[in-house]
Amino acid sequence: GMVLRGNDDNENSNNAPAFALLAPVGETVLENAPVFRWQKAANATSYRISILDADFNEVVTAEVPGNSFTPGKPLKRGAKYLWRVAAQTANGEIIAPQPPQPPAVFRVAAENTESRIQSLQKNENDRLKLAVYYAQEGMLDAAACTLKEILAKNPKHNAARRLLTQVEQWKKENQTTIQRCGPSTATKADQ
C-alpha cells in the first residue's frame, strides 16, 4: 500500500517525507484572506486545497501548483473554518490531514479585532496587554512573538515569561507549528 504519512527513517527510500499542513492550524488569523501553507509531498504534480465552513460546506476549492495558496475572495470574519489539501501524484492522491491527525481548524478574527490590536500597538507600555489580547483571541504566534519582544527588552519580566510558557503549551496542545516572528505575524497596521 501507499504510505500516506511519511516518517523520518530512511530505511525505505520509497517512503515519502511527511506531508502536513503548516498554517493556519489551531489559531485565529487576522487576515480574512490568509496564506495557506503546507509541506510539499514527494513527487506531487499539483495540489487541491479545500476550505470548508463549520458546517462542512465547501467555501473554496482550488488547484495549485505549489505549496501555498491565498483565497481570491475574503472569508467571513469571526467564522471558524477547516481545510485540507490533496497532493496529486502519479500513484494517486495523498490527503492531509490524514486520520488519526486532527482536522486543520482555524478562525478568522472578528471585525473589531484589528482596530483593538492597532489601538494596543500605539503605546509601547501596552505590549503585555497586546500579548494577552492576542492570546485571548487565539492568535498564538502573534502572542508568542510579542512576549519574546518584551523578554528581549526585559529578560526578568516574570508575567511575560509565564504567559509565554502558557502560550507555547497551548500551541503544543493545538499541534500548531512554531513559526518565526516577523511579517507573517504582523498586522495590516504597518501598511
Side-chain angles (χ1 to χ4, degrees):
M2 177 192 276
V3 175
L4 296 177
R5 288 200 333 250
N7 54 31
D8 292 329
D9 66 24
N10 291 323
E11 292 174 32
N12 184 347
S13 61
N14 293 331
N15 284 352
F19 169 52
L21 306 185
L22 299 174
V25 177
E27 276 201 275
T28 299
V29 294
L30 188 58
E31 306 81 17
N32 59 1
V35 177
F36 292 82
R37 295 182 304 110
W38 55 91
Q39 293 173 328
K40 289 185 178 181
N43 304 317
T45 55
S46 67
Y47 300 90
R48 186 179 66 250
I49 181 171
S50 300
I51 304 169
L52 299 94
D53 65 18
D55 295 322
F56 301 101
N57 298 310
E58 221 164 65
V59 178
V60 177
T61 300
E63 296 287 334
V64 294
N67 62 329
S68 68
F69 170 76
T70 304
K73 63 178 185 176
L75 301 173
K76 185 178 175 189
R77 290 228 167 256
K80 188 175 183 178
Y81 293 93
L82 294 90
W83 66 291
R84 62 180 175 240
V85 174
Q88 310 303 316
T89 73
N91 295 328
E93 201 171 70
I94 305 170
I95 298 174
Q98 183 69 38
Q101 296 170 332
V105 179
F106 70 99
R107 185 171 68 94
V108 177
E111 198 66 50
N112 62 345
T113 302
E114 189 171 5
S115 60
R116 177 76 175 127
I117 289 168
Q118 288 172 350
S119 158
L120 289 169
Q121 286 176 329
K122 288 178 184 172
N123 187 344
E124 191 64 31
N125 294 331
D126 285 341
R127 300 307 282 171
L128 187 59
K129 286 182 190 173
L130 176 62
V132 168
Y133 184 74
Y134 279 140
Q136 288 173 334
E137 288 296 310
M139 303 171 89
L140 302 180
D141 281 335
C145 291
T146 303
L147 291 164
K148 287 174 184 176
E149 286 173 19
I150 293 168
L151 289 168
K153 292 178 183 172
N154 181 0
K156 294 182 180 181
H157 197 302
N158 288 329
R161 185 165 311 286
R162 284 193 306 272
L163 184 55
L164 180 59
T165 300
Q166 184 63 58
V167 166
E168 288 173 345
Q169 180 63 37
W170 289 333
K171 286 177 69 70
K172 190 175 181 182
E173 288 169 5
N174 286 334
Q175 298 181 347
T176 60
T177 55
I178 303 299
Q179 294 181 3
R180 292 190 184 123
C181 297
S184 65
T185 57
T187 66
K188 294 176 185 172
D190 302 324
Q191 295 176 355

